[in-house]
Amino acid sequence: MPKDIVLEMQNVSKRFGSVIALDDVNLSIQKGEVHGLLGGNGAGKTTLMNVLYGLYQSDAGQVRLGGEPISVHSPKDAINSGIGMVHQRFLQINRFTVTENIVLGTDLQNWPRLNLDTAKEKINELGERFGLPVDPDAILSDLPMGVRQRVEILKALYRGVQVLVLDEPTTNLTPQEVDALFESLRVMVDDGLSVIFITHKLREVLEVCDRITVLRHGKNVLTMEREDASEEAFVTAMVGSDLDVESSIIFSSEQLEKTIGDVGQDTILEVADLTVGEGELVGVKSCSLTLHAGEILGVAGVSGNGQLELIEGILGLRPVHGSVLMQGTDVSTLETHEILKNSVAYVPEDRWQDGFLPTANVAQNLILGLHRQAPYSDGRLLQRHTILDRSNQLIEEFNIKTPGAQDTAGNLSGGNIQRVMLARAFSLPVDLLLIHNPTRGLDIPSMEFVYKKILERKQEGMATLLISENLDELFLLSNRIMVLCNGEQMGELQRGSYDKYAVGRMMSGVRQSE
Amino acid sequence: MDFELIIGFAGLVFLAMVPYIFAGLGTMLAGQTGLFIVAQEGIMLTGASIGFLGAYWTDNLFVGVLTAIVAGGLFGLAFAFFTTTLNMNQFVTGLALFFVGLALSTLIFKLAIGVTLTPPLVPTLDKLPIPLLSQIPVVGDILFNQNIFVYLSLLLSGALYYFLYRTSYGLELRSIGENPKAADSLGINVKRGRYFAAIGGAMLISMAGVFLPLVYTGTFTEGITQGRGWLAIALTFFGGWRPHTIFIGALFFAAVDVFALRAQVFGGGIPHQFLLTMPYIATLLIMVFGSRWVRVPTFLGQNYDREKRSV
């Protein structure tokens, strides 16, 4: 039995300058369904939804709501038509209370003074009905990510939306929070709402969605009922011919287990009782870890729980107490550039902020941080020819798509920038790799590439500290996983006994029971 | 120091406070939407010059104030247009408008009056004692035996506080300065809010300027503001970007102002240049130690462009 179509987007196109972000895309949403919008990064999912929500103006195409064409020129139009959106980066005001955030922009009683009591009642009632409890008087910045997301959803429900768009809603949530979210979504669609669920995580889509549309390179690939399609069908649709799914390490794991299990004896990194920061600003408390040659130690945790501080503490970018031994030598008092000389490579989380010079050329970015060392420098001057030759080699080896080593690095796409980061890290012999969220924002073939490169070096004996917010990635690659919460070690799991709920409990601050 | 002198001093402080309050509130209002105006000195000078001429030609101080408000509004409109519509850097725009205001104030005055031996004068604004209240000993003399600007500045502080923190319009306006993208996503018109706040803010700043010739000197002279416009920026930070605390800050700045003037007349050992640096030093100290007190709007000084893709 076909259900009523609530929302239709027909032949939508959008370009940014010379980049075609959306090319003739169609989407139709039924009443009372969770519709998955699946695609890799840059597939156009978010752009399509920003068009729907009036944040971008489409160049062509139309939107129909309940059969009637509507024109959406601003978020206000979208809200008035009954379309709500929860953005990936929450659009919230940290200093306002939950209630203020939710009611902002709605009609309110102003005389004799702003009255929010009825609003609070409504928020409590909605929270109860859909399983989204919040404290209406809490200040946003005090709340954990899971609760802040509830606030975002309530914001849309408060406005009585018919169609709710969730953009990558599970980023930064623990597995328990994800389950709770999925339950709430079920209640909503049973209530007659329609939900558009944007994600690049296939497993989530298969778990919660009724129908699924796949986008690739800004084009429709397919729309299918959940029951009608296998996992492989969607993977192939997502990645197209860019990736051989059969031989991919992400999807076939026998060979992988053997590679991962192979760990050496030598201790590469030994961190003992490390505290990073002082006073109220302590980022990491008494952390201890050991890393052997050829080992990958995963670090899990909700973003902002000490991961950055840990890595920057080890690298000497932040003042520390405790000891950091690299191959037996204490480096905790050394300057960062001295530490980096000991065959240590760092791939930062925030590529644009911490690892990359967009206005410099590709070659310069490829030697950044190594530019004082041979062979790139003779101690006084940069060796121009060596640098160019080596850069061309790296561009070839890491398959960096650029017109040339001397082209402006800022023209590279996100995936290619990450290739530059990796090429730099691996351009000289590496014993220890510190790598933070290495695949954030990358599409599946690029993820595959990153994993392969890390594993290649691991087999040569490189030790890796892999900090990631992506549990699938940690489960795939790590020999062990340690969990951080509020800068403290909550516990550690061995490969073979990974359990996302156990990790989730530790991520939310429950210590591992002995 | 006898009692009379203290009462006189306190009364003068409340009078000297007026331009600081107006300029501080104007800066704050624009700032609450994320617009950081740095053209206060120029806007105040133009307000003083044009406002004075308005009053001089019509023999009506009220018309003078109105002309200053209109002139200030035009500055605000220009600021909003360059920063919000054309997306130009706020700081550079503010500096440019400062120089425009600085030059314009003298130019217009010279064109209108020419060079004269005796300065053109308007009668300065009289005190307006409030019946009954001004009879209260001490307090009555300090607070209720002032001119209308003083009452207005106090009323305005309260009114702006009510508007910003007790109405939904204020909530919306503040949300623009805290996170314009979030405000936009909820259907709040960021551009309109910023235009409104820039024009309103610049009007207040201009009123701070016209106060000087109409109440203090009775005529316009070059550089009549004596850096009060720049101090207003410091004051707004000192006052933590909130109306009620800007009022306290303005009292403090005015006290230093009056005290420095007195010290200049009566001597007293402390060089008055040193006293004049006090507000700046106090502001720096507040910024260093009072980070919880100072709640600078999160997006202060940043333009918002909806279709800009963040990488």
Side-chain angles (χ1 to χ4, degrees):
Chain A
M1 181 193 81
K3 293 190 195 170
D4 299 344
I5 301 288
V6 179
L7 176 82
E8 270 183 295
M9 297 184 79
Q10 294 168 332
N11 311 99
V12 177
S13 297
K14 171 77 184 171
R15 35 171 78 233
F16 292 98
S18 61
V19 181
I20 299 171
L22 293 175
D23 187 4
D24 211 17
V25 174
N26 292 290
L27 180 70
S28 76
I29 307 296
Q30 296 171 351
K31 189 175 163 68
E33 72 166 350
V34 180
H35 192 110
L37 191 54
L38 187 66
N41 266 85
K45 306 174 303 249
T46 302
T47 310
L48 182 66
M49 288 303 111
N50 280 341
V51 167
L52 176 65
Y53 197 58
L55 282 170
Y56 296 155
Q57 299 304 312
S58 64
D59 300 325
Q62 66 167 339
V63 179
R64 285 169 172 273
L65 192 73
E68 297 294 312
I70 54 168
S71 64
V72 181
H73 294 294
S74 72
K76 191 166 196 152
D77 296 342
I79 294 166
N80 290 341
S81 324
I83 299 166
M85 180 153 171
V86 175
H87 299 264
Q88 183 176 9
R89 289 192 181 169
F90 301 154
L91 293 174
Q92 296 174 331
I93 292 158
N94 291 339
R95 284 175 180 165
F96 285 12
T97 65
V98 167
T99 308
E100 285 172 335
N101 265 286
I102 291 176
V103 301
L104 193 62
T106 60
D107 281 331
L108 295 166
Q109 183 201 338
N110 265 318
W111 191 256
R113 51 177 295 183
L114 188 58
N115 189 342
L116 297 176
D117 292 341
T118 39
K120 282 178 194 167
E121 266 171 45
K122 191 171 166 191
I123 291 166
N124 282 328
E125 184 200 303
L126 285 170
E128 227 164 84
R129 194 160 111 213
F130 294 109
L132 302 161
V134 290
D135 170 11
D137 294 316
I139 302 285
L140 250 282
S141 54
D142 296 342
L143 298 175
M145 289 319 263
V147 181
R148 296 183 68 150
Q149 182 167 57
R150 278 181 230 154
V151 173
E152 275 307 89
I153 296 173
L154 284 170
K155 216 151 106 178
L157 295 176
Y158 184 87
R159 289 165 172 75
V161 297
Q162 292 171 266
V163 179
L164 177 65
V165 183
L166 300 169
D167 188 1
E168 302 279 359
T170 59
T171 323
N172 289 327
L173 296 193
T174 64
Q176 281 83 352
E177 288 171 324
V178 171
D179 283 357
L181 171 70
F182 287 176
E183 263 172 50
S184 297
L185 293 186
R186 274 289 139 218
V187 182
M188 285 176 219
V189 293
D190 289 344
D191 221 58
L193 262 72
S194 304
V195 175
I196 303 178
F197 187 100
I198 307 179
T199 187
H200 64 275
K201 292 181 187 162
L202 187 63
R203 284 188 189 97
E204 291 176 351
V205 161
L206 296 174
E207 200 177 325
V208 74
C209 296
D210 304 306
R211 288 199 309 151
I212 298 162
T213 294
V214 181
L215 292 184
R216 187 172 78 234
H217 300 320
K219 287 183 187 153
N220 280 93
V221 183
L222 60 83
T223 299
M224 274 184 145
E225 300 276 335
R226 158 73 186 97
E227 299 91 53
D228 297 347
S230 66
E231 189 169 335
E232 281 74 33
F234 287 116
V235 175
T236 317
M238 263 172 93
V239 298
S241 56
D242 298 349
L243 179 73
D244 182 2
V245 178
E246 294 290 303
S247 71
S248 154
I249 50 170
I250 301 178
F251 300 103
S252 62
S253 54
E254 281 164 33
Q255 178 61 32
L256 184 69
E257 286 305 324
K258 232 181 109 219
T259 319
I260 300 274
D262 191 18
V263 175
Q265 292 298 312
D266 301 348
T267 304
I268 301 290
L269 175 72
E270 193 172 356
V271 174
D273 206 17
L274 184 80
T275 297
V276 185
E278 303 215 1
E280 275 180 47
L281 297 172
V282 166
V284 177
K285 285 169 223 151
S286 322
C287 175
S288 300
L289 59 91
T290 315
L291 198 50
H292 299 97
E295 190 176 32
I296 300 178
L297 173 61
V299 179
V302 176
S303 165
N305 273 284
Q307 294 96 325
L308 186 66
E309 288 84 353
L310 175 64
I311 226 168
E312 296 196 343
I314 292 173
L315 276 172
L317 287 162
R318 291 172 189 249
V320 295
H321 297 287
S323 70
V324 179
L325 300 179
M326 283 182 188
Q327 289 163 334
T329 325
D330 191 351
V331 299
S332 61
T333 55
L334 295 185
E335 295 283 334
T336 305
H337 69 93
E338 294 169 310
I339 295 174
L340 287 175
K341 272 186 204 157
N342 302 324
S343 303
V344 177
Y346 172 39
V347 178
E349 164 189 45
D350 192 336
R351 307 189 267 275
W352 278 90
Q353 187 74 42
D354 296 335
F356 189 66
L357 306 176
T359 53
N361 66 34
V362 175
Q364 286 163 339
N365 271 290
L366 280 168
I367 63 156
L368 189 64
L370 309 169
H371 55 278
R372 290 195 192 88
Q373 303 176 23
Y376 302 134
S377 164
D378 65 354
R380 289 170 294 127
L381 298 174
L382 290 174
Q383 303 300 298
R384 200 161 162 272
H385 290 290
T386 321
I387 291 169
L388 276 183
D389 289 347
R390 187 76 184 109
S391 295
N392 286 326
Q393 276 173 26
L394 289 170
I395 287 170
E396 178 111 344
E397 186 189 339
F398 285 82
N399 197 11
I400 300 164
K401 291 192 188 80
T402 171
Q406 310 221 46
D407 194 55
T408 310
N411 295 339
L412 296 173
S413 71
N416 279 302
I417 291 172
Q418 189 65 341
R419 283 167 196 252
V420 170
M421 296 290 111
L422 279 183
R424 177 164 81 210
F426 293 154
S427 61
L428 296 178
V430 190
D431 292 334
L432 174 63
L433 171 69
L434 305 170
I435 192 164
H436 195 176
N437 280 331
T439 59
R440 185 150 83 188
L442 300 190
D443 55 16
I444 293 181
S446 299
M447 281 167 78
E448 170 94 12
F449 180 82
V450 171
Y451 295 160
K452 273 193 176 143
K453 284 290 166 192
I454 294 176
L455 290 176
E456 265 172 31
R457 291 300 176 117
K458 168 204 152 64
Q459 280 175 305
E460 291 166 17
M462 177 183 76
T464 307
L465 187 66
L466 169 68
I467 298 186
S468 178
E469 282 148 31
N470 182 344
L471 284 186
D472 294 337
E473 177 170 295
L474 290 171
F475 286 7
L476 188 76
L477 296 177
S478 313
N479 294 97
R480 290 177 290 140
I481 293 177
M482 116 187 178
V483 186
L484 280 180
C485 180
N486 280 326
E488 293 183 63
Q489 282 170 294
M490 289 291 131
E492 196 175 289
L493 292 173
Q494 298 291 332
R495 193 171 186 88
S497 63
Y498 291 162
D499 166 21
K500 66 173 179 172
Y501 292 102
V503 174
R505 271 194 299 280
M506 289 192 264
M507 280 164 75
S508 53
V510 181
R511 236 168 244 288
Q512 190 178 29
S513 47
E514 293 303 322
Chain B
M1 212 183 261
D2 60 60
F3 198 58
E4 285 285 306
L5 205 65
I6 294 175
I7 293 179
F9 179 80
L12 276 180
V13 168
F14 270 88
L15 192 66
M17 169 193 78
V18 171
Y20 291 122
I21 288 206
F22 276 110
L25 289 180
T27 310
M28 184 275 306
L29 181 63
Q32 290 284 9
T33 65
L35 291 179
F36 189 26
I37 300 179
V38 294
Q40 283 83 346
E41 186 79 0
I43 299 173
M44 280 174 73
L45 280 170
T46 306
S49 162
I50 293 183
F52 167 76
L53 291 174
Y56 181 68
W57 282 330
T58 59
D59 252 338
N60 186 333
L61 298 188
F62 181 68
V63 174
V65 175
L66 273 187
T67 12
I69 290 177
V70 172
L74 289 176
F75 269 91
L77 182 69
F79 187 78
F81 177 74
F82 285 122
T83 58
T84 303
T85 304
L86 299 185
N87 262 317
M88 282 167 60
N89 182 296
Q90 294 187 13
F91 189 73
V92 175
T93 306
L95 272 186
L97 287 180
F98 155 67
F99 283 110
V100 169
L102 180 70
L104 213 57
S105 65
T106 317
L107 177 72
I108 291 176
F109 187 76
K110 288 258 167 73
L111 284 178
I113 304 292
V115 180
T116 53
L117 277 178
T118 50
L121 283 174
V122 293
T124 53
L125 203 60
D126 280 331
K127 285 186 177 178
L128 181 75
I130 295 179
L132 296 177
L133 288 177
S134 58
Q135 305 300 314
I136 308 170
V138 187
V139 180
D141 237 15
I142 298 173
L143 273 183
F144 301 111
N145 190 15
Q146 295 281 11
N147 73 56
I148 193 166
F149 269 104
V150 177
Y151 309 134
L152 202 60
S153 69
L154 295 178
L155 278 178
L156 204 70
S157 299
L160 267 178
Y161 179 84
Y162 176 85
F163 171 73
L164 284 170
Y165 293 92
R166 294 286 179 266
T167 71
S168 66
Y169 311 110
L171 190 71
E172 291 182 6
L173 216 57
R174 285 187 291 132
S175 75
I176 296 173
E178 287 295 334
N179 189 345
K181 198 165 184 184
D184 192 15
S185 78
L186 293 174
I188 292 165
N189 192 328
V190 174
K191 279 190 179 167
R192 196 169 63 195
R194 287 195 160 180
Y195 266 89
F196 167 80
I199 292 171
M203 282 176 169
L204 292 177
I205 295 169
S206 187
M207 277 176 81
V210 77
F211 170 88
L212 302 168
L214 297 194
V215 175
Y216 273 177
T217 58
T219 186
F220 175 81
T221 47
E222 266 187 67
I224 189 173
T225 48
Q226 292 178 319
R228 283 186 183 84
W230 299 113
L231 259 185
I233 301 175
L235 164 67
T236 315
F237 277 98
F238 182 91
W241 294 88
R242 277 166 295 180
H244 51 301
T245 43
I246 282 178
F247 166 68
I248 297 166
L251 263 184
F252 169 71
F253 278 35
V256 173
D257 218 10
V258 174
F259 196 73
L261 210 67
R262 283 290 152 105
Q264 201 175 358
V265 176
F266 295 115
I270 314 167
H272 84 286
Q273 288 91 341
F274 174 75
L275 286 170
L276 287 176
T277 60
M278 290 302 289
Y280 297 102
I281 293 169
T283 303
L284 282 178
L285 289 177
I286 287 268
M287 294 291 285
V288 173
F289 296 108
S291 55
R292 276 169 199 274
W293 155 282
V294 179
R295 291 180 50 159
V296 181
T298 313
F299 269 75
L300 186 69
Q302 296 179 40
N303 289 337
Y304 171 64
D305 181 4
R306 185 190 278 170
E307 292 218 2
K308 192 172 167 191
R309 295 187 101 182
S310 49
V311 183

